[in-house]
Amino acid sequence: MHVELLTYTPDADKIVASAAKLCYAKSDIDTLMEGLTPEKTESFLDVLSDLGHQSPVEHASFTFGIEGVSRALLAQLTRHRIASYSVQSQRYVSKCNFEYIVPPAIADIPEAKAEFIKAMEEDAAHYESLRSTLTAAHTARLIAEGKDEKSAAKAAEKMANEDARFVLPNACDTRIIMTMNVRSLYNFFRLRCCNRAQWEIRALACEMLRLVKGVAPNLFKNAGPSCVCGTCSEGAYSCGQAAQMRKKFGEL
């Protein structure tokens, strides 16, 4: 897994603090940013946190580049609907010799790992065979319909990808660019940094949180699973490690 913070709202802390100031003080737009020292900015952010007033944090957003993750992760990630996603297409991009993600629990057991790799190799072989068969059939049909050979072959390859991808596994790798505002990130971290979250998306969430803390520490100082700044939301399913989690995310 590789995650990069590609871009983010400049002076995110200050933008959010100015939005909060607008809500609670008699300031006009021209003078809104005046007097927002680092200390006062942090104070406004603390007030927002204490009040649970989160609409001002929606004015700041962060964009991530993500690769080396599975399509299984993508299915979970896009459940977070207040976000923007661009995903590598399996229709326009050939997945011949695709890379795949091996779950740690499988990697730790030699017999399971061997079975998993065998399954990936079989899937790859089926994909390439289907793609080749479909490309040839579509090319012949398009030429018969009057297309020149080069145009027919190009169109046929895309059509073949479209259907051959149905045999690709959830483990198949993908690449994503994702943008979320801070409020959505709070929710994402609360759910996905939790020990109860699936291992791959938890690893992604923790790395994203580490990156945003590096550039906007005041905005994200209380971010993390629900136990970090409150009580565990998992009820009877709690991992029972709230103290360890608070220490972990305090040091992230």
Side-chain angles (χ1 to χ4, degrees), residues 162-181:
E162 184 171 16
D163 291 329
R165 63 181 169 169
F166 276 71
V167 300
L168 292 172
N170 270 336
C172 185
D173 75 303
T174 193
R175 295 178 174 87
I176 307 163
I177 289 181
M178 177 180 71
T179 301
M180 280 186 175
N181 67 42

Side-chain angles (χ1 to χ4, degrees), residues 11-27:
D11 296 321
D13 288 6
K14 203 168 183 178
I15 291 295
V16 171
S18 68
K21 183 179 177 182
L22 182 71
C23 293
Y24 296 109
K26 289 185 177 180
S27 298

Side-chain angles (χ1 to χ4, degrees), residues 13 16-17 20 24 38-53 57 186 217-222:
D13 288 6
V16 171
Y24 296 109
E39 294 75 20
K40 287 188 177 180
T41 295
E42 184 175 3
S43 177
F44 270 114
L45 297 181
D46 288 341
V47 168
L48 289 180
S49 180
D50 291 342
L51 293 174
H53 184 188
V57 303
Y186 286 167
N218 290 328
L219 268 178
F220 293 99
K221 66 182 178 182
N222 293 320

Side-chain angles (χ1 to χ4, degrees), residues 95-113:
K95 297 304 289 185
C96 289
N97 300 312
F98 62 85
E99 295 183 6
Y100 51 84
I101 312 319
V102 183
I106 291 178
D108 288 343
I109 303 171
E111 296 86 354
K113 183 177 180 182

Side-chain angles (χ1 to χ4, degrees), residues 12-242:
D13 288 6
K14 203 168 183 178
I15 291 295
V16 171
S18 68
K21 183 179 177 182
L22 182 71
C23 293
Y24 296 109
K26 289 185 177 180
S27 298
D28 55 43
I29 299 300
D30 291 336
T31 61
L32 197 58
M33 303 287 279
E34 292 179 4
L36 278 181
T37 63
E39 294 75 20
K40 287 188 177 180
T41 295
E42 184 175 3
S43 177
F44 270 114
L45 297 181
D46 288 341
V47 168
L48 289 180
S49 180
D50 291 342
L51 293 174
H53 184 188
Q54 293 196 338
S55 64
V57 303
E58 295 177 17
H59 296 293
S61 62
F62 293 74
T63 299
F64 304 86
I66 303 164
E67 61 184 3
V69 296
S70 70
R71 298 288 291 202
L73 178 139
L74 177 64
Q76 297 181 79
L77 188 60
T78 52
R79 292 173 187 165
H80 296 270
R81 291 182 291 277
I82 305 177
S84 298
Y85 302 98
S86 295
V87 181
Q88 185 183 64
S89 173
Q90 291 182 342
R91 184 184 187 193
Y92 291 93
V93 180
S94 167
K95 297 304 289 185
C96 289
N97 300 312
F98 62 85
E99 295 183 6
Y100 51 84
I101 312 319
V102 183
I106 291 178
D108 288 343
I109 303 171
E111 296 86 354
K113 183 177 180 182
E115 181 73 20
F116 186 87
I117 291 172
K118 181 182 177 182
M120 295 301 103
E121 291 172 347
E122 290 175 354
D123 286 345
H126 287 306
Y127 174 79
E128 292 183 32
S129 178
L130 277 170
R131 188 170 175 273
S132 177
T133 300
L134 290 168
T135 298
H138 289 315
T139 300
R141 176 177 58 79
L142 292 171
I143 290 174
E145 291 174 356
K147 276 188 176 289
D148 64 86
E149 187 173 343
K150 184 177 180 180
S151 298
K154 185 176 181 180
E157 183 177 5
K158 184 180 78 172
M159 295 166 71
N161 288 344
E162 184 171 16
D163 291 329
R165 63 181 169 169
F166 276 71
V167 300
L168 292 172
N170 270 336
C172 185
D173 75 303
T174 193
R175 295 178 174 87
I176 307 163
I177 289 181
M178 177 180 71
T179 301
M180 280 186 175
N181 67 42
V182 173
R183 189 174 193 173
S184 290
L185 284 169
Y186 286 167
N187 178 63
F188 180 69
F189 295 144
R190 184 166 59 254
L191 296 173
R192 303 301 187 173
C193 288
C194 176
N195 277 342
R196 291 269 301 156
Q198 184 261 356
W199 66 267
E200 190 179 19
I201 200 167
R202 183 172 69 246
L204 172 63
C206 289
E207 179 60 11
M208 287 168 56
L209 179 52
R210 186 188 69 81
L211 291 171
V212 296
K213 273 193 168 186
V215 297
N218 290 328
L219 268 178
F220 293 99
K221 66 182 178 182
N222 293 320
S226 58
C227 62
V228 167
C229 57
T231 57
C232 176
S233 61
E234 292 295 315
Y237 296 101
S238 173
C239 69
Q241 298 178 27

